[in-house]
Amino acid sequence: MAHGTALIYDEEMTKYKLLWVDPACKIEVPERLSVSYEALVRNGLADRCVSIPVREATDAEILLVHSDEYLEAVKKTPYMTLEDLKEFTLQFGDVYFHPNIYRCAKLAAGSALQLVDSVMMERVRNGMALVRPPGHHSMRSAASGFCVFNNVAIAARYAKQKYGVKRVLIVDWDIHHGQGVQYCFEDDPRGVFGKGRIIFGCLKCNILVFVLFIFNSVLYFSWHRYEHQKFWPQLRESDYDSVGKEKGAGFNINLPWNQVGMENSDYLSVFCHVLLPVAYEFCPDLVLVCAGFDSAIGDPEGEMCATPDIFAHLTHLLMNLAGGRLCAVLEGGYNLTSLPQSVCQTVQTLLGDPLPQLANLSGPCRSALESLQCLRSAQKQYWGSLKHTASPTAANISTKRIRIAEGEVEEEEKTELGEEEKNSEEKVWHEPPKRPCPPIRAASVLPDDVACPDGCKRITKDIHPLVVSRLKDHLVQEAEDGDALATFSTLVSLVQKMEKNEVGSGLALVGDVIKAMMCVVQHVSPDLNRVLVVCVGNGKIPSHISRDGKVLVLQISSDASEEQQSKHYISVCLQKGCCNTSGFMQAVLGLLLPVGYEYNPDLVVLVRMPDSGVCDVVWKQLTGLLQSFAKGHTLVLMQEKENSCVGPTASILLGDPAPPLETLQAPDREDVDAVERLRRRLQADWKLLQTTSEYTS
Ligand SMILES: NCCCNCCCCCC(=O)CS
Ligand SMILES: [Zn+2]
C-alpha cells in the first residue's frame, strides 16, 4: 500500500508574465503560484509532502497530444522579439506568450508526468503539481485560455502508454470547460476493443442486462460556467448534450452552470447524483484532476460562491476511487486569497487529515437542478446508475440556449459588470477551519483475546460509576452482566474522547450491536447536536431514538421496514440487501451521502448488523465515504464474532484508501426503483436529494 503525498513545484514556473496590455490575460500572474506554495509552507503542509523535482516534458511526450507543427512553432518563441511575440500570440485566443513560457510549459507538463510516475511507481499514494501555465484549454495545434501544452491530457496518454493504465478518469473542477481535453479524447480510438458494449438478453426474466465491458478509455468530466453559451469559450460543444462521439459516447460528461453564484450544495449534488455513480461504474485505475480553483468564491472569472473547504470534500470523494491513486494538477484560480486556501484544503485532504464540517448545506438551486437533470437524461443510456432517470419534460427545463438560438427568447441584457463593478461586489468568506489531527487516529474496544490492529490504540475497558448508574436505568437486564456494562461505559468514554478530538474514530466488537448503539446514542453529551446512525444489514432498530431529530437513522437492508419512514428514520430496502454491490453503492451515493451532508452530524455510528452479507470492499468503501462527516469521528460497531472485519475496518479508519470495486454492473431494476421512490419521497425533507427541478417551489 503506497503512502505519502507528492508535491511538485518549482519557482522557475513563476518566471514569465504578460508583457503588454491585454485585459483578458491580466489576471494570469506569477503570484498565483508563489502565494499558493507559500501558503502550503506557512501551514506546515509542504514539509509533510514528498517533494518531487520538476522536469521538462520531452518532445515525444508533448507530441502525445500536440501536433509537430505546433510544437515547432512554440519552440521558436524564446528567440522572438516583443513584437514577434505579440504577432505570434494573435493567432490564438485569450493567451499570451513570453520568451520563457515555452520552458515553463515544458516544466508544467513534465510536472504532471513526474506526478504520474510517482503514483504509478507507488513512491507516493497521491499528489499535487502546482504549475503554470495551465493546460486544459490548449488543443492539438493551438494555445488557448492561458494554456500552451495540455498538461493533464498528456499525463493521461502517458499513463496509458507507459503503465498500460486502462481506464483514466479526468475530473475537471475548474470553472472553465477544458475543451482541449474534450477534443483530445472525444474521438479517442478507445483502444483495440473500443468500448465494447455487450448486451445480454435474458429472455427468461425479460430484462436486458447492459454489461459495459469498458476497455482502454478516458472518461472526462467537466463542470463549467456556461450561461447558455454566453460565457467563454462560448462553445456549443460545452453543453450537457456533448456526450462523446461514436464509441466514445458516454465518456464525455459536461455539466454547464447557467448562472453564477453556485454554492457548495450545487457542487456536492453534482458529485453525488452524476459524477460519483458514473465514476464507480467506470471503476478507473487512475484519477487525474484538472484542479482549477477559479470555481471558488471570490474568483473574478467564476463568480461562484463555493467556499475553499469544499475542495477538501471533492478531493476526499475522489480518493476512494482507483485505490486512492489521484494526481491533482493546478489549472486556473485567480483570487489570491481563495486560491491558496483551496490549494491548502486539497493538499491537506491528500495527506489524510480530518475533513472540515460543511455547515448549512441546502439543496441545489433551480438552475443547477435543470443542468443536473438534463445531464442525467443525456447520459442515462450510457450509464446503468443513471438508467432510470426521469426524462425532463419541456415544462420544467428551460434549455434557454436553444430558445435563444432559435431567436425565441430575447437574451435579457447581460449586465456585463466592468472590472470595477465586479470588484465592488467583494465577496467575503470565513477562513477555512483548522483541521487538527487527533493524537489517537483510531481507537479500539475489543475482547482481550482479539488483537488490536497496528496503528490502532486499544482502550482498556473501564467502568465509570456515573455512566454505569445511568446505564442501569436503561439496560436493566445488563445490570447483572458486568462485562456488557464495562463495554458500554467504555464506548461512552470513547465517544467523549472523540468529542474532545483526542481520538479520531473508533471500532468495537460488542455482544449486541443494537444495544451498544442505543447506549452510545443515549449517552452522548448534550453538546453533540446530531448523531448519524448508519445500519448495514437486517435487524430492528427502535425508531423512538430518532424522534427529536438529534439522531438520524439510515438503514440499508433487505427487509422492508414496516416502520413508518420519517425524516430521521430512513430504511432503504434492497432486494438483495447488502449483497448486491451496485444496488448498495447506489443507495450510498444517491441517498446516504446527500442526506448525510445536509444533516451534518457531529458523530457517525456505523453499525454492522449480524449476518449483514456486506462484502469487504463495499464495507471499506462505505467506511471511507463516511469519513466525510463529523470531522471523521466515526464509531464502528460490529458483532463479537466478526473478528475478521477488525483489520480491514481499522485500515480505512487509519486513512488507507478503500480498494476499488470492480466495474459495477447496472443495479437491479427493483433496487433502482426502491432508491428512486425513497429519494422522491424524502426530497421534500432533504433538499440535497433533489435531481429534478419540478419539485422546487
Ligand atoms: N471579456 C473577455 C474575457 C475573456 N476571459 C477568458 C480568459 C480565459 C480564461 C482561461 C482560464 O482561466 C484558464 S483556467
Ligand atoms: Zn479556469
Side-chain angles (χ1 to χ4, degrees):
M1 176 77 69
H3 287 274
T5 294
L7 176 61
I8 304 183
Y9 167 78
D10 190 299
E11 66 166 3
E12 179 62 25
M13 286 183 276
T14 65
K15 292 180 178 143
Y16 78 88
K17 62 182 181 180
L18 183 57
L19 296 175
W20 51 80
V21 173
D22 177 352
C25 294
K26 72 178 188 350
I27 51 175
E28 207 297 304
V29 296
E31 290 72 21
R32 295 178 53 233
L33 216 51
S34 44
V35 300
S36 300
Y37 181 68
E38 283 151 16
L40 288 170
V41 172
R42 190 171 60 250
N43 290 300
L45 298 171
D47 289 348
R48 293 172 56 196
C49 293
V50 178
S51 175
I52 301 285
V54 295
R55 74 167 169 87
E56 290 190 355
T58 63
D59 287 9
E61 289 157 350
I62 294 167
L63 294 173
L64 284 171
V65 166
H66 296 285
S67 66
D68 198 54
E69 48 278 358
Y70 176 63
L71 176 54
E72 290 314 307
V74 173
K75 274 184 179 174
K76 296 188 177 74
T77 54
Y79 315 104
M80 286 183 184
T81 63
L82 188 60
E83 284 318 306
D84 292 348
L85 280 169
K86 274 186 183 175
E87 182 67 27
F88 184 76
T89 296
L90 285 180
Q91 64 187 307
F92 306 115
D94 299 280
V95 63
Y96 63 86
F97 277 81
H98 176 282
N100 197 36
I101 198 169
Y102 170 52
R103 167 148 167 72
C104 296
K106 285 188 287 182
L107 289 174
S111 299
L113 304 184
Q114 288 286 83
L115 197 44
V116 169
D117 283 343
S118 307
V119 167
M120 295 311 293
M121 313 277 272
E122 304 204 345
R123 265 185 247 126
V124 293
R125 173 177 300 164
N126 54 39
M128 174 143 209
L130 288 181
V131 302
R132 256 184 99 231
H136 68 152
H137 297 302
S138 60
M139 293 157 268
R140 183 169 161 69
S141 301
S144 167
F146 314 148
C147 306
V148 176
F149 298 140
N150 202 313
N151 309 317
V152 169
I154 293 170
R157 283 259 162 83
Y158 176 84
K160 287 168 64 165
Q161 182 190 68
K162 182 171 180 184
Y163 297 100
V165 171
K166 287 198 190 62
R167 293 186 299 276
V168 180
L169 168 64
I170 299 178
V171 176
D172 188 337
W173 68 45
D174 185 285
I175 206 58
H176 296 94
H177 179 221
Q179 82 277 34
V181 183
Q182 172 167 312
Y183 298 151
C184 180
F185 296 109
E186 69 179 349
D187 41 17
D188 180 45
R190 300 232 175 266
V192 176
F193 302 99
K195 187 173 72 172
R197 200 188 291 275
I198 299 174
I199 296 171
F200 293 113
C202 163
L203 301 182
K204 179 162 79 292
C205 49
N206 192 22
I207 291 175
L208 280 187
V209 178
F210 288 88
V211 180
L212 255 66
F213 281 94
I214 294 170
F215 297 93
N216 310 332
S217 50
V218 174
L219 172 58
Y220 178 57
F221 168 88
S222 170
W223 64 36
H224 33 270
R225 180 176 173 181
Y226 191 57
E227 289 172 305
H228 302 290
Q229 203 175 330
K230 288 276 169 273
F231 186 71
W232 189 90
Q234 297 178 302
L235 299 171
R236 172 69 187 76
E237 59 270 27
S238 302
D239 210 348
Y240 60 81
D241 53 349
S242 287
V243 294
K245 293 173 179 166
E246 295 103 32
K247 289 181 295 185
F251 284 73
N252 194 78
I253 303 182
N254 285 337
L255 189 283
W257 299 119
N258 288 318
Q259 285 175 7
V260 292
M262 294 299 163
E263 300 176 354
N264 295 344
S265 303
D266 302 299
Y267 288 9
L268 280 174
S269 63
V270 169
F271 261 57
C272 294
H273 297 304
V274 177
L275 177 58
L276 292 176
V278 165
Y280 272 91
E281 192 171 331
F282 179 64
C283 191
D285 309 299
L286 174 64
V287 177
L288 304 180
V289 181
C290 288
F293 298 104
D294 39 20
S295 42
I297 190 166
D299 191 278
E301 277 291 312
E303 295 187 77
M304 296 299 173
C305 295
T307 49
D309 44 359
I310 194 65
F311 296 102
H313 285 266
L314 302 185
T315 305
H316 176 260
L317 291 169
L318 297 175
M319 277 165 75
N320 288 296
L321 296 161
R325 282 184 296 280
L326 187 151
C327 301
V329 182
L330 180 68
E331 296 280 358
Y334 307 97
N335 178 301
L336 300 185
T337 305
S338 60
L339 168 62
Q341 289 174 347
S342 306
V343 166
C344 289
Q345 288 299 309
T346 304
V347 170
Q348 207 171 353
T349 296
L350 291 175
L351 284 164
D353 285 6
L355 292 165
Q357 280 180 284
L358 290 174
N360 48 48
L361 291 170
S362 54
C365 69
R366 182 182 183 83
S367 173
L369 277 171
E370 286 178 1
S371 299
L372 188 60
Q373 186 180 5
C374 286
L375 176 55
R376 279 165 54 97
S377 64
Q379 293 281 354
K380 69 182 194 180
Q381 57 186 300
Y382 308 109
W383 299 102
S385 44
L386 304 179
K387 212 164 45 160
H388 300 285
T389 299
S391 297
T393 55
N396 59 41
I397 287 300
S398 67
T399 41
K400 217 156 94 183
R401 173 183 45 74
I402 296 170
R403 303 214 316 263
I404 295 168
E406 285 152 9
E408 210 181 284
V409 168
E410 242 332 281
E411 167 66 349
E412 72 264 358
E413 202 28 55
K414 176 130 185 46
T415 53
E416 177 74 49
L417 287 170
E419 289 314 304
E420 54 296 334
E421 283 112 342
K422 252 192 223 177
N423 298 338
S424 70
E425 291 179 22
E426 275 307 299
K427 297 263 181 29
V428 287
W429 62 94
H430 294 296
E431 170 128 14
K434 295 282 174 233
R435 299 160 56 183
C437 293
I440 299 172
R441 174 95 191 230
S444 66
V445 177
L446 301 166
D448 299 344
D449 60 343
V450 176
C452 180
D454 290 350
C456 246
K457 175 144 181 22
R458 184 193 289 269
I459 305 272
T460 48
K461 288 183 186 171
D462 55 355
I463 291 193
H464 289 273
L466 171 72
V467 172
V468 169
S469 62
R470 278 167 43 197
L471 280 181
K472 277 184 172 164
D473 309 348
H474 296 285
L475 303 156
V476 179
Q477 58 272 41
E478 265 70 20
E480 308 321 317
D481 177 348
D483 188 43
L485 279 181
T487 302
F488 291 161
S489 71
T490 308
L491 287 179
V492 171
S493 65
L494 173 53
V495 169
Q496 285 161 350
K497 288 184 172 66
M498 286 185 188
E499 284 169 51
K500 289 179 278 187
N501 208 35
E502 291 168 9
V503 169
S505 47
L507 65 88
L509 290 181
V510 294
D512 179 329
V513 286
I514 294 180
K515 280 211 173 59
M517 179 269 290
M518 297 293 289
C519 136
V520 164
V521 159
Q522 277 155 348
H523 290 89
V524 292
S525 69
D527 49 11
L528 257 188
N529 304 319
R530 295 174 299 282
V531 181
L532 169 63
V533 176
V534 179
C535 297
V536 173
N538 295 359
K540 188 79 201 73
I541 308 293
S543 60
H544 62 76
I545 64 171
S546 64
R547 197 140 302 145
D548 58 359
K550 182 181 166 78
V551 177
L552 167 61
V553 176
L554 193 144
Q555 181 170 12
I556 302 179
S557 70
S558 63
D559 61 2
S561 143
E562 66 289 346
E563 271 299 314
Q564 177 53 32
Q565 302 264 7
S566 76
K567 174 172 181 177
H568 292 97
Y569 188 89
I570 301 169
S571 138
V572 188
C573 172
L574 298 176
Q575 201 195 34
K576 298 196 186 84
C578 310
C579 304
N580 177 294
T581 300
S582 40
F584 187 88
M585 284 311 293
Q586 210 201 17
V588 169
L589 300 175
L591 273 176
L592 172 55
L593 275 187
V595 169
Y597 268 116
E598 192 165 342
Y599 185 59
N600 185 22
D602 300 306
L603 171 70
V604 175
V605 181
L606 172 57
V607 182
R608 184 182 179 122
M609 309 299 260
D611 313 318
S612 63
V614 66
C615 67
D616 241 15
V617 281
V618 165
W619 175 256
K620 291 172 93 168
Q621 283 288 341
L622 173 62
T623 308
L625 288 168
L626 287 174
Q627 295 278 292
S628 305
F629 307 128
K631 297 179 191 146
H633 293 312
T634 307
L635 174 63
V636 185
L637 300 175
M638 298 176 281
Q639 206 64 31
E640 231 142 35
K641 62 184 187 319
E642 309 222 67
N643 298 23
S644 60
C645 303
V646 170
T649 306
S651 79
I652 301 295
L653 297 180
L654 289 165
D656 285 350
L661 305 168
E662 292 319 304
T663 43
L664 293 186
Q665 295 170 11
D668 291 346
R669 168 108 214 183
E670 295 78 6
D671 287 346
V672 177
D673 288 352
V675 170
E676 278 299 304
R677 257 195 323 276
L678 206 46
R679 208 182 46 66
R680 282 215 190 90
R681 190 153 79 246
L682 290 167
Q683 66 184 348
D685 288 325
W686 302 105
K687 303 273 181 289
L688 266 178
L689 288 175
Q690 292 173 55
T691 56
T692 55
S693 54
E694 62 250 34
Y695 295 97
T696 37
S697 49

